[in-house]
């Protein structure tokens, strides 16, 4: 059985927003990566950003400053 | 990377396709826009591509092969331009959003009445149900040839026989079958065949089109530059210009031309047999693994080269992510733009992980994928 832990997941309704966020987070050295949207957050398809929970404040600040729209920001138990 | 997301797009293309695009980008002008060598080179290339597509799909007239950017555009043109407001239209649960959304729009904005042939829990259609839905005011049947989720193949020839007998417009979405399953517009009774160039045909993205049976009237969605009949106030009435306003993707079509050569020379049967063997090999490798649930009816041999599965109650997105990150295997999770099919299969919450195979995959790659699924399921 794979180990699980709580991550912060930010979902985007538009692929362009997810890619813009990836570029932004990389430029600000915010760790994490793009993953498919977990089904517990949204049925269907799309992209989200998976990062450590302690990044929440930095992630929010970066997104607000850059004017990038996100849909949801949740703590989700995922495989490590 | 082991690429098993070929139902989304094939990533490995014949080298001749790549060479043809490169050549075109250093030599081709604008098709149907003048008589200098650059323009003529483009016009000839585009015409040859029409001829090859007509040959592949048995479309009687190459000038009734219309090029678009993809299947979605082709389907929008066929549905919005070929089905009158207020029509009764029959479609199926197997459809992709490229069929569903234009039809829902037709229903919302033009009073079309939609009726769906239901898929069962195995993703199969009941043809008798389709026949029973036909009414005197039924104007069109719009149907996929093969499900992009389970690979289920629809008996197009049987539907075509029914629609031809009753004078009903029959539009077929060949996005998942073109290049893998033989298509004969004449004998299958297809009025409009919509295809994409970048999947089973192994051509560039941004290419696709519709093949139209002679006598079928499709109203243009777009009007604009045509390079001919410039003093007409409206779009020329003749195909293909009627449905091709603006500059074509000539560079992409040069690649599609080379891709069609590859498919015609190799043979659709040969390509499809190999793809189906790869999918079958994968299915046989994973179907006995504890906790793995496969969707679709594998008692059928003629299938799209697709296997959709779930592992226990694991989120399909998370499984696909592990396959990508830990094993370097590219698959597609989620809903696959096929909402009604997921409803039929009971997978709207979990989604499914789709493995889809192409001519360029190997049995070793399939074995790797089987091993990965087994390890994740442990």
């Amino acid at each position: 059985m794979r180990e699980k832990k709580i991550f912060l997941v930010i979902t985007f309704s538009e692929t362009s927003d997810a890619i813009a966020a990836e570029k932004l987070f990389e430029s600000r050295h915010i760790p994490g990566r793009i993953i498919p949207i977990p089904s517990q957050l949204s049925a269907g398809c799309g992209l989200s950003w998976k990062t450590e929970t302690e990044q929440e404040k930095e992630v929010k600040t970066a997104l607000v400053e850059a004017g990038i729209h996100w849909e949801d920001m949740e703590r989700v138990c995922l495989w490590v | 990377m082991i690429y098993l997301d070929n139902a989304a797009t094939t990533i490995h293309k014949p080298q001749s396709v790549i060479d043809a695009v490169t050549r075109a980008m250093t030599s081709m002008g604008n098709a149907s826009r003048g008589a200098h060598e650059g323009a003529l080179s483009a016009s000839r290339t585009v015409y040859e591509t029409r001829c090859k597509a007509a040959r592949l799909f048995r479309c009687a007239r190459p000038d009734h092969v219309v090029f678009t950017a993809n299947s979605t555009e082709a389907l929008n043109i066929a549905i919005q331009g070929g089905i009158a407001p207020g029509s009764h239209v029959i479609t199926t649960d197997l459809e992709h959003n490229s069929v569903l959304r234009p039809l829902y729009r037709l229903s919302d904005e033009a009073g079309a009445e939609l009726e769906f042939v239901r898929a069962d829990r195995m993703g199969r259609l009941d043809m008798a149900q389709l026949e029973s839905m036909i009414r005197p005011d039924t104007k069109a049947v719009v149907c996929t040839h093969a499900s992009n989720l389970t690979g289920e193949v629809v008996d197009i020839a049987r539907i075509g026989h029914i629609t031809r007998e009753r004078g009903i417009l029959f539009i077929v979405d060949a996005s998942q079958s073109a290049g893998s399953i033989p298509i004969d517009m004449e004998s299958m009774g297809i009025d409009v065949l919509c295809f994409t160039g970048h999947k089973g045909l192994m051509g560039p993205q941004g290419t696709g089109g519709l093949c139209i049976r002679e006598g079928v009237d499709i109203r243009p969605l777009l009007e604009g530059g045509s390079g001919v009949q410039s003093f007409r106030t409206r779009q020329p009435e003749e195909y293909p210009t009627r449905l091709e306003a603006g500059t074509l993707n000539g560079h992409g079509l040069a690649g599609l031309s080379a891709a069609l050569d590859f498919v015609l020379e190799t043979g659709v049967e040969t390509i499809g047999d190999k793809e189906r063997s790869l999918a079958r090999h994968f299915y046989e490798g994973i179907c006995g693994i504890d906790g793995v649930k496969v969707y679709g009816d594998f008692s059928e041999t003629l299938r799209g080269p697709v296997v959709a599965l779930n592992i226990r109650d694991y989120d399909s997105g998370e499984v696909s992510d592990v396959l990508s990150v830990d094993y370097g295997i590219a698959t597609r999770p989620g809903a696959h733009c096929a909402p009604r099919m997921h409803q039929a299969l009971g997978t709207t919450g979990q989604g499914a992980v789709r493995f889809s195979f192409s001519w360029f995959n190997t049995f070793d790659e399939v074995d790797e994928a089987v091993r990965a699924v087994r390890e994740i399921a442990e």
Side-chain angles (χ1 to χ4, degrees), chain A residues 15-43:
Chain A
T15 297
S16 56
D17 288 331
I19 302 300
E22 178 186 55
K23 198 172 158 186
L24 173 72
F25 295 152
E26 280 173 3
S27 73
R28 296 198 176 199
H29 306 291
I30 295 172
R33 65 183 177 86
I34 285 181
I35 61 165
I37 292 184
S39 59
Q40 57 263 53
L41 296 186
S42 172

Side-chain angles (χ1 to χ4, degrees), chain A residues 44-71:
Chain A
C45 304
L47 300 178
S48 57
W49 181 263
K50 173 186 175 184
T51 187
E52 303 296 332
T53 50
E54 57 267 29
Q55 296 296 324
E56 183 166 358
K57 199 174 161 196
E58 277 190 72
V59 161
K60 260 188 192 160
T61 306
L63 287 171
V64 169
E65 281 178 8
I68 295 172
H69 174 74
W70 76 93
E71 194 173 33

Side-chain angles (χ1 to χ4, degrees), chain B residues 54-86:
Chain B
R55 193 176 139 209
L56 181 68
F57 300 129
R58 297 290 303 275
C59 177
R61 293 186 55 162
D63 62 355
H64 281 43
V65 175
V66 170
F67 290 121
T68 60
N70 45 50
S71 277
T72 296
E73 187 184 346
L75 285 158
N76 270 271
I77 290 171
I79 289 169
Q80 294 186 53
I83 304 175

Side-chain angles (χ1 to χ4, degrees), chain B residues 282-352:
Chain B
F282 178 72
Y283 169 75
E284 285 168 357
I286 51 103
C287 69
I289 298 172
D290 184 41
V292 172
K293 180 170 173 51
V294 184
Y295 301 95
D297 179 8
F298 282 79
S299 67
E300 290 288 342
T301 50
L302 184 62
R303 305 176 39 76
V306 170
V307 181
L309 59 82
N310 272 314
I311 303 176
R312 306 191 190 281
D313 61 348
Y314 301 160
D315 176 46
S316 65
E318 217 172 354
V319 171
S320 183
D321 188 52
V322 166
L323 285 164
S324 172
V325 173
D326 291 359
Y327 296 93
I329 298 171
T331 59
R332 182 82 195 274
H336 315 91
C337 298
R340 297 185 70 95
M341 189 61 152
H342 274 284
Q343 284 162 359
L345 299 174
T347 48
T348 48
Q350 193 178 8

